[in-house]
Amino acid sequence: MVVSFQPVEFDTEGSLELARALWRMSEDLDAVASARDTDIESASKDWKGPHGDDFRKRATEESDDFTVSSRSLRRAANSWAGAWVEATDENRRREYEAAVDEERNSRSIGEQFFDNFVGDDSAVEVGPAPLPVTKPVGPDFNPTV
């Protein structure tokens, strides 16, 4: 049986570009939050009474929302990097299996007969299976292959 390499249908470069964009958005959000924290501190410094308390409470809630949103964007970016790893590893596994099958199918009838008794060493001839890639990290999310 001849097995040809069929790549995974996945936009590997697009997934890393999306991871980069999500990371940049989280950084932008962090910058906005930091600037607002400075403004809030300045505005609430001498503000006393119930309106000042209400302002500080709402500012704290807003700051928490910024933090949650930024973390969510980074988690999403890391998830896309994880999807890149899965697709890349699967492509490499498929390429390797296709190369082993090609080696096996290129053998003469005599070699194939011999392989039935002593074992098929096609994988040995092709070489070791590819090692898993490591997950790209932000903010750059550069491919790790």
Side-chain angles (χ1 to χ4, degrees), residues 11 13-14 20 37 41 43 48 51 72 74 84 87 94 98 106-107 127 141:
D11 185 359
E13 184 52 41
R20 289 180 200 107
D37 285 346
E41 184 179 323
K48 308 291 183 209
H51 293 298
S72 294
R74 287 180 193 231
W84 176 88
R94 289 180 183 189
S106 72
R107 294 180 172 195
F141 292 101

Side-chain angles (χ1 to χ4, degrees), residues 87-99:
T88 300
D89 283 343
E90 179 63 17
N91 268 336
R92 292 170 53 141
R93 184 192 64 75
R94 289 180 183 189
E95 285 177 321
Y96 178 76
E97 287 181 3

Side-chain angles (χ1 to χ4, degrees), residues 58-145:
R58 289 174 189 244
T60 298
E61 290 170 356
E62 179 186 84
S63 179
D64 292 345
D65 288 346
F66 273 118
T67 300
V68 168
S69 297
S70 177
R71 286 181 183 160
S72 294
L73 288 167
R74 287 180 193 231
R75 268 195 307 277
N78 283 318
S79 291
W80 279 105
W84 176 88
V85 167
E86 291 175 19
T88 300
D89 283 343
E90 179 63 17
N91 268 336
R92 292 170 53 141
R93 184 192 64 75
R94 289 180 183 189
E95 285 177 321
Y96 178 76
E97 287 181 3
V100 170
D101 285 342
E102 184 178 326
E103 170 63 28
R104 184 177 298 121
N105 294 327
S106 72
R107 294 180 172 195
S108 69
I109 297 293
E111 286 177 299
Q112 290 177 15
F113 181 77
F114 188 71
D115 285 347
N116 285 328
F117 293 102
V118 297
D120 183 1
D121 66 345
S122 299
V124 174
E125 291 296 321
V126 170
L131 297 173
V133 296
T134 57
K135 186 175 175 180
V137 295
D140 297 326
F141 292 101
N142 291 320
T144 56
V145 216

